Amino acid sequence: MADDGSGRVEIIYRPGEPQSSQIQMRVGDEAAVTLHGSSAYGWTPVEVASGPLTVIDAGADEGTARATVRATGPGEAELRSASSFRGDRFGPQTRLWRLTVHIDP
């Protein structure tokens, strides 16, 4: 995770790395999320599960999901995505990625 001081945070996750459990943002800040996967093990689109965040841009290619979210109000929010093996619906387990976002005024 990187914050360049401009109100924009970058969150990058690669399978096998530890997940960030929470971040702090301010109203109006944006977060660019990149979840790396593979063509066989792809991520679902990043979604706002709860709270004052809005997805303003999203996409996926070759199993990697990207999204930009904006904090629209103070409070607590959660982002989520899941990845699953695409080659066999009975294959390896689905993995859940989630991030709690604390938003200050």
Side-chain angles (χ1 to χ4, degrees):
M1 179 175 54
D3 181 353
D4 62 10
S6 68
R8 186 168 172 92
V9 177
E10 285 193 39
I11 301 157
I12 300 171
Y13 174 72
R14 290 178 176 81
E17 293 180 351
Q19 291 190 30
S20 297
S21 61
Q22 57 186 348
I23 63 168
Q24 194 87 23
M25 294 175 66
R26 296 177 76 72
V27 173
D29 286 357
E30 293 182 358
V33 179
T34 304
L35 305 176
H36 291 280
S38 69
S39 56
Y41 228 116
W43 291 99
T44 60
V46 175
E47 65 181 12
V48 176
S50 64
L53 288 174
T54 299
V55 176
I56 57 174
D57 187 34
D61 60 14
E62 297 298 316
T64 298
R66 292 177 177 78
T68 302
V69 298
R70 180 176 295 132
T72 58
E76 186 173 285
E78 184 177 84
L79 295 172
R80 285 190 187 172
S81 181
S83 79
S84 57
F85 185 68
R86 296 178 179 186
D88 177 2
R89 64 188 179 123
F90 300 107
Q93 293 182 335
T94 297
R95 294 178 293 198
L96 175 65
W97 174 87
R98 65 182 171 186
L99 180 70
T100 301
V101 182
H102 300 281
I103 305 166
D104 294 327

